[in-house]
Amino acid sequence: MSSAQLDALEKKEELECDPVRQKLGTPLRPGARILSFDLCGSDTVVLGLSSHQAKAANLTTRECTAAAAKHGGPVTAVAVLNESYTVNGSRIALSASWDKIVKVWPVDDPQNTLAVLTGHSDFVKCVAVHPTLPIVYTGSADKSIMFWRLPESLETLAQSTTPQEIAPFKTVKGQHTGQIYAMCLDPVSAQVLYSTGSDASVRAWDSQTGVAIATKGDESSDWCIARGQHKTNIFDCKATENTLWTASADNTAIGWDIETRTTDIVLEHSTTVTAVLPIPQVGVVVTGVRDGALYVWRVNSGVPKIIREINAHTDDVSCLRVAGRVFYSSGLDGTLRKWDIQSVVNFVGGFEYMPAELQALKDQNTSSKQGSETLAKSSKSANQSALTEEEERELAELMSDLDDM
């Protein structure tokens, strides 16, 4: 390990021990890296973990359930079906993994696998669900997108003694030339599914048939944002009514006009952008980056501008989600953190967001640290000036010799 890597590791460990960082965003700590999460109602979150598990956790108590849906590899993506699909009163979650499968299970009973979606030949990297229909979408390292249809009544799955194996009703392969990292549905009608990944392109599909969406005004060509503006991997995508947002390893997040496929807004960063979250009701976009920071951009008035920085995580930001008046962030530092939108946007204490109660702790910690450093320097100086007993004797003899001269 290089000296630079050792310095970075030491800095990360120092940040993780920082008492302010330990409280910022009221972190939930599941004991493993969080690769993905999805919200389930107002008080529950489903987590995809590096520990080969998917778990549910209570957002109020910040405690995970003991039971978990277990996989044969890291759980890279999770999603929750809409509330009309339940089994014995429990919402239904899906978890996708490096083990190439997707499991379907009740949030209240994660070990009860109701169904298994099989068909991918490599890691499943992302999963999305239709907001009103029992249709599931998965993207994989095998460069394919698969469309799956669950039973209209999931109670039938619960009646079986073994998980039902479900095959995709549509497989799309060949259009993307790299791994599929992210997918999202248009939020207005959910008729279009957008997909993106390591080939730095974005494509669009009919969400119910899997047929490629045609370019408006040119039915002979497929809707596509080709590689070019983004130079490399696109890790995340989110859609609003008229804009598609993408986050890339080329250090940018871009807002695209969906109809014209041209860039409306480019948000430049100094490092890889791993996640993006538009919050149109307040005119901002939140981006998460490789070093764990969150940036809040004002995008509804002239030139885009960063209005807030949150030093949220000590490792890559892995996922961003919004629910009403709050948004959540997860990181590879093994934390899920909660942020009040209005408090962050309207914060008047400076560029870096820091709640008042934590600012006092930060100031106290800084003063204490400075005092410790001053004491350490004084002690070091005293130690350097102090003489050993032998040195004192030699000095006395030298002074005696000088007196005799």
Side-chain angles (χ1 to χ4, degrees):
M1 185 177 290
S2 68
S3 59
Q5 289 173 319
L6 287 171
D7 289 342
L9 182 60
E10 184 178 342
K11 182 179 179 181
K12 178 183 174 183
E13 290 174 347
E14 181 181 344
L15 289 172
E16 288 174 344
C17 294
D18 179 4
V20 176
R21 188 72 66 105
Q22 290 178 351
K23 295 183 178 182
L24 186 62
T26 56
L28 185 158
R29 304 176 189 276
R33 291 184 170 191
I34 303 174
L35 306 183
S36 178
F37 72 91
D38 198 12
L39 300 168
C40 179
S42 60
D43 60 357
T44 304
V45 62
V46 174
L47 306 168
L49 304 174
S50 62
S51 57
H52 302 194
Q53 298 177 323
K55 285 187 173 185
N58 186 294
L59 289 169
T60 302
T61 64
R62 305 197 299 278
E63 294 180 353
C64 290
T65 57
K70 297 182 179 180
H71 282 266
V75 178
T76 46
V78 292
V80 179
L81 291 179
N82 82 67
E83 58 191 11
S84 65
Y85 295 99
T86 61
V87 168
N88 298 325
S90 172
R91 297 282 295 274
I92 303 300
L94 299 98
S95 51
S97 170
W98 284 16
D99 62 12
K100 308 173 189 177
I101 64 172
V102 179
K103 289 187 175 184
V104 183
W105 42 277
V107 173
D108 294 344
D109 187 10
Q111 294 178 322
N112 179 19
T113 303
L114 303 173
V116 177
L117 313 185
T118 58
H120 284 295
S121 60
D122 208 336
F123 303 160
V124 184
K125 308 286 281 189
C126 54
V127 61
V129 295
H130 195 281
T132 59
L133 301 172
I135 299 178
V136 177
Y137 316 94
T138 56
S140 170
D142 65 14
K143 307 176 186 178
S144 74
I145 302 166
M146 292 188 177
F147 293 64
W148 317 76
R149 185 172 285 109
L150 301 180
E152 287 291 338
S153 173
L154 298 182
E155 296 289 350
T156 59
L157 298 178
Q159 295 169 4
S160 176
T161 56
T162 57
Q164 180 176 332
E165 191 167 312
I166 298 176
F169 71 82
K170 175 73 174 183
T171 299
V172 173
K173 191 168 185 178
Q175 286 83 349
H176 278 293
T177 59
Q179 301 181 39
I180 315 300
Y181 288 153
M183 298 179 296
C184 65
L185 288 144
D186 82 85
V188 179
S189 65
Q191 293 181 351
V192 180
L193 174 75
Y194 298 99
S195 60
T196 189
S198 63
D199 65 2
S201 73
V202 185
R203 296 184 178 272
W205 318 93
D206 184 292
S207 64
Q208 295 188 44
T209 65
V211 173
I213 298 294
T215 301
K216 189 173 182 179
D218 183 5
E219 298 299 317
S220 63
S221 67
D222 295 340
W223 188 100
C224 175
I225 296 173
R227 182 188 184 104
Q229 182 66 48
H230 276 310
K231 306 298 189 297
T232 185
N233 302 342
I234 300 175
F235 291 121
D236 194 15
C237 63
K238 300 277 177 29
T240 62
E241 183 175 358
N242 300 307
T243 307
L244 179 70
W245 287 94
T246 52
S248 173
D250 63 13
N251 300 358
T252 66
I254 294 179
W256 305 86
D257 182 291
I258 290 177
E259 183 174 337
T260 65
R261 294 168 293 157
T262 55
T263 56
D264 269 355
I265 301 171
V266 179
L267 308 179
E268 299 279 357
H269 298 70
S270 61
T271 188
T272 293
V273 187
T274 54
V276 63
L277 178 67
I279 310 179
Q281 61 266 36
V282 290
V284 303
V285 170
V286 181
T287 54
V289 299
R290 176 132 290 171
D291 64 11
L294 303 177
Y295 294 101
V296 182
W297 299 75
R298 177 75 68 189
V299 297
N300 66 344
S301 56
V303 178
K305 178 183 178 182
I306 300 178
I307 61 170
R308 202 74 61 235
E309 176 186 40
I310 310 176
N311 291 307
H313 299 275
T314 58
D315 210 333
D316 297 14
V317 176
S318 57
C319 190
L320 294 169
R321 304 273 187 194
V322 65
R325 299 178 179 180
V326 300
F327 72 93
Y328 296 85
S329 63
S330 65
L332 299 188
D333 61 356
T335 65
L336 176 84
R337 298 175 190 257
K338 177 181 178 180
W339 315 98
D340 181 87
I341 295 171
Q342 291 296 338
S343 294
V344 171
V345 172
N346 298 326
F347 181 67
V348 295
F351 179 63
E352 180 186 356
Y353 175 70
M354 184 65 61
E357 64 274 14
L358 291 184
Q359 184 62 53
L361 178 61
K362 182 179 180 181
D363 293 342
Q364 180 183 354
N365 188 50
T366 300
S367 298
S368 176
K369 185 176 180 181
Q370 289 174 343
S372 298
E373 289 175 349
T374 301
L375 182 61
K377 288 178 180 178
S378 299
S379 176
K380 182 178 181 182
S381 176
N383 289 336
Q384 287 175 339
S385 63
L387 299 177
T388 65
E389 185 177 342
E390 183 178 356
E391 288 171 335
E392 291 278 7
R393 187 168 56 252
E394 290 176 351
L395 179 59
E397 291 175 356
L398 177 60
M399 295 303 292
S400 176
D401 291 341
L402 289 173
D403 290 340
D404 293 339
M405 292 178 66

